[in-house]
Amino acid sequence: MHTNYYFLRQLAPALTQQLAGYTVVACFSQEKDELVLGLTNGAEEFWLRVLLAAAGPLISLPESFHRARQNSVDLLPELLGQQVAEVSAWTNDRVLQFTFQGGATLLLKLYSTRPNAIFRTTPEAEAQLFHQRYTADAELRPLAPGISPTPAEAASPTGNPLKAYPSLNDVVVAYLHTRGYDPAPLEVKWQLVREVVQELENPAAFYVIRLDGRTRLSLLPVGEVELTLPATDPTRALRRFVPLLLNRRAYEAELRQVRQQLEKRADEAATSAQHAQRRLHALENTVGYRQTADLIMAHLSQIPAGAKQVEVVDFYQDNQPRVIKLKPAKTPQRTAQNLYRKAKNQQLETRELSARAERRETEALWCLERLEELAALPPGDLRTLRQWRKQHGLDPATAAKAAQELPFKVFEDSGFTILVGRNAQNNDLLTQRYAHKDDLWLHAKDVTGSHVVIRQRPGHTVPAPVLERAAQLAAWYSRRKNDSLCPVTYTPKKFVRKPKGAIAGQVVVERENVLLVVPANPFERAE
């Protein structure tokens, strides 16, 4: 409600009194949708910060402001040197007007959508817009000096009283509900609305309230009243309210972010575990390659040369007859040899699937436990939330920043940074210059592909789920991308060296470990 007309009509005369004789000496922006004005009377300074964001405007009066050395842009140069004459609020509107001694004006249009700032050097001069895209705002003309806000009175008591006063918002409606507005007859409703408007025009106090889960600055005591501030000082009320609001917005945004992060991880881990269990069940309930190979070798004497198939007695299935397909161009022995090799890979796949299902189920359970802990944290305590988040490796993602700084594909997973080379030369750069000796290095085994590095976190070992996802990336960005399974080599980077005269991307690996994974990009939706 701090941008509502009824608060602005209290704020405007207070600003007029405060800023008498003050001159604008700074006008700049250093954040998106931000307009900062610095004023001084030669002895004291006054700061006005306005956030003109489409998600909702915010006006604050910080007692001091330190301009950043970088990413700061000067705005409205003709506003500098202008001396404040009057600040006024447009009647039944959310526009705060600054009128200066020389006739210049600055309109702060504080609409909940399409907010803007409109500056004119004279009332008839061409408008200079803060948001250039809102071209229609150039038609907004400043009020003539000396016009003060007046109460709005409806002409006829026959219609809906709430529509007769366009500046009444949801806070007022909630307050009217507490006074029996809904069941009251029309005449009583009109009387209640008039009484509330009188309270708004002459508030007893300013209230910081909690209403429908939102922190609001109100002129009426409704909802959960957290602070009561004197109505004689709207600037003080604004200075108490805005930092509290910003802190809570930051808390709610981070709380929502970490909750979504955990819910997404839990869902992905549970889904991955289910897929692994289904595949494992399919492998365990179908005839294995080894059984088929054993049957071929046991019936070699019965298989004629160049046969396309052979019917044998399956001693694994109660001596039932079974037809085995063959390749005429290959000997039965070679076919059996290939099947034994596939059986070995299938055995590896079975072990890997079993281990993966267990890991992902554990990870899903871990996420659900963290969600329970998150719900039990003290509400509104941003510092505690951030400490808890850091403790569990759930820091805000820095992938975007890292991507700007590093010439590699960058992924964040559970607090670990995963770097992926883009080509042979880039692989050399990653492994030889950017990777630390204790970072974990990965590469698809025996084929060309990207080098992958999991950056070390001092005091933390790389969790198995993070290693698995990094291995999936190594397989995905390799020639084995389309294979059903891919062996991936991993080892500390200190065991990776580049031989003298080797081509770009070529290395020698010592003390390697191998992980069998399904090629995939598990971060595809976030990439």
Side-chain angles (χ1 to χ4, degrees):
M1 197 172 180
H2 72 293
T3 58
N4 181 266
Y5 159 68
Y6 291 103
F7 179 75
L8 294 181
R9 76 189 301 273
Q10 303 293 325
L11 180 64
L15 289 177
T16 298
Q17 182 178 2
Q18 170 73 47
L19 296 177
Y22 276 69
T23 300
V24 179
V25 293
C27 179
F28 60 91
S29 177
Q30 58 190 33
E31 294 182 15
K32 183 181 179 182
D33 301 322
E34 176 193 62
L35 176 65
V36 180
L37 296 181
L39 303 96
T40 183
N41 62 0
E44 297 179 342
E45 62 182 26
F46 187 93
W47 293 94
L48 174 71
R49 179 178 180 266
V50 188
L51 187 64
L52 299 166
L58 182 70
I59 181 169
S60 62
L61 307 173
E63 295 186 0
S64 62
F65 197 94
H66 299 286
R67 184 173 182 177
R69 294 182 179 181
Q70 296 179 341
N71 301 322
S72 182
V73 179
D74 289 312
L75 300 172
L76 306 176
E78 293 174 289
L79 181 57
L80 302 183
Q82 300 282 355
Q83 190 175 46
V84 178
E86 181 186 19
V87 183
S88 56
W90 287 17
T91 304
N92 285 321
D93 211 335
R94 286 169 289 173
V95 177
L96 197 63
Q97 175 174 320
F98 287 77
T99 305
F100 301 96
Q101 296 288 357
T105 56
L106 177 66
L107 305 181
L108 299 179
K109 190 184 96 174
L110 304 172
Y111 289 12
S112 56
T113 58
R114 301 170 63 91
N116 211 348
I118 303 99
F119 174 68
R120 283 185 170 87
T121 53
T122 65
E124 301 304 322
E126 184 178 352
Q128 300 178 39
L129 304 180
F130 178 83
H131 285 308
Q132 302 290 334
R133 60 185 180 275
Y134 302 149
T135 55
D137 290 344
E139 302 302 318
L140 290 177
R141 293 287 173 179
L143 297 176
I147 295 181
S148 59
T150 56
E153 182 64 55
S156 171
T158 58
N160 184 343
L162 293 177
K163 292 185 178 179
Y165 295 89
S167 296
L168 301 183
N169 62 4
D170 59 329
V171 174
V172 178
V173 173
Y175 183 70
L176 285 168
H177 289 337
T178 66
R179 300 188 61 179
Y181 177 84
D182 292 329
L186 186 60
E187 307 83 45
V188 177
K189 286 183 176 180
W190 274 95
Q191 181 61 31
L192 287 171
V193 169
R194 289 193 182 101
E195 290 174 359
V196 169
V197 169
Q198 292 254 342
E199 290 183 60
L200 292 170
E201 292 172 350
N202 301 281
F206 297 118
Y207 307 94
V208 176
I209 65 170
R210 189 79 173 168
L211 183 65
D212 296 331
R214 298 172 59 195
T215 302
R216 313 284 288 274
L217 180 62
S218 172
L219 281 65
L220 301 167
V222 63
E224 180 187 349
V225 177
E226 298 183 341
L227 284 175
T228 301
L229 304 167
T232 55
D233 195 348
T235 58
R236 179 190 171 195
L238 206 55
R239 283 173 174 155
R240 290 291 301 277
F241 165 71
V242 171
L244 179 63
L245 176 66
L246 292 176
N247 182 275
R248 287 185 176 173
R249 281 185 179 178
Y251 171 81
E252 290 164 2
E254 290 200 22
L255 180 66
R256 183 169 55 252
Q257 184 185 43
V258 71
R259 184 185 294 117
Q260 290 173 349
Q261 181 182 357
L262 286 169
E263 289 173 348
K264 179 181 176 182
R265 280 183 59 184
D267 180 63
E268 289 178 346
T271 301
S272 177
Q274 290 173 3
H275 289 166
Q277 290 285 12
R278 282 199 292 268
R279 173 63 178 162
L280 193 59
H281 181 268
L283 289 175
E284 292 173 346
N285 290 274
T286 55
V287 177
Y289 294 119
R290 179 172 294 278
Q291 292 183 15
T292 304
D294 288 345
L295 291 172
I296 292 174
M297 294 303 293
H299 296 85
L300 278 177
S301 61
Q302 302 175 23
I303 304 175
K308 294 184 179 180
Q309 63 181 37
V310 63
E311 183 174 324
V312 299
V313 175
D314 190 347
F315 43 78
Y316 287 107
Q317 301 294 330
D318 298 326
N319 293 323
Q320 294 295 317
R322 178 183 168 192
V323 175
I324 299 176
K325 292 184 179 180
L326 301 170
K327 292 185 177 180
K330 289 185 179 180
T331 64
Q333 292 90 334
R334 176 57 63 86
T335 300
Q337 183 181 0
N338 290 339
L339 289 172
Y340 282 129
R341 179 179 53 80
K342 289 183 178 181
K344 184 178 179 181
N345 290 340
Q346 192 177 62
Q347 187 178 16
L348 291 173
E349 183 180 5
T350 300
R351 287 203 300 265
E352 169 60 23
L353 287 169
S354 179
R356 181 187 306 163
E358 184 178 353
R359 285 197 306 269
R360 300 316 298 270
E361 287 171 355
T362 301
E363 183 181 4
L365 180 60
W366 182 89
C367 291
L368 294 176
E369 289 173 346
R370 299 294 80 73
L371 283 168
E372 290 181 1
E373 288 182 13
L374 185 65
L377 291 179
D381 191 337
L382 184 60
R383 178 176 294 180
T384 299
L385 174 62
R386 286 177 173 171
Q387 288 175 345
W388 180 89
R389 193 173 189 176
K390 184 176 181 180
Q391 174 188 347
H392 294 292
L394 298 167
D395 297 334
T398 56
K401 180 180 178 181
Q404 292 176 357
E405 297 174 351
L406 298 172
F408 317 109
K409 293 184 179 72
V410 181
F411 303 90
E412 292 290 327
D413 189 3
S414 304
F416 287 85
T417 300
I418 302 173
L419 305 177
V420 180
R422 296 178 181 273
N423 51 48
Q425 289 73 23
N426 200 236
N427 283 341
D428 271 354
L429 184 67
L430 172 58
T431 300
Q432 304 304 321
R433 293 186 54 188
Y434 280 82
H436 185 270
K437 67 176 183 178
D438 292 324
D439 291 344
L440 208 55
W441 184 92
L442 304 92
H443 193 280
K445 187 172 177 60
D446 300 330
V447 293
T448 58
S450 294
H451 293 194
V452 176
V453 168
I454 306 176
R455 279 193 157 171
Q456 173 202 31
R457 288 181 62 195
H460 295 79
T461 57
V462 177
V466 175
L467 176 60
E468 179 185 331
R469 287 189 280 271
Q472 286 184 294
L473 286 174
W476 183 255
Y477 293 105
S478 78
R479 293 288 296 274
R480 293 186 183 269
K481 175 178 180 178
N482 297 315
D483 289 3
S484 58
L485 283 172
C486 173
V488 174
T489 294
Y490 67 95
T491 188
K493 190 268 171 185
K494 61 187 175 185
F495 298 126
V496 180
R497 60 183 178 83
K498 186 175 181 65
K500 185 176 181 180
I503 62 174
Q506 188 177 53
V507 293
V508 172
V509 181
E510 302 169 355
R511 303 189 190 181
E512 68 174 11
N513 299 285
V514 178
L515 181 64
L516 200 63
V517 297
V518 176
N521 180 356
F523 309 96
E524 191 166 10
R525 281 180 287 178
E527 187 180 4

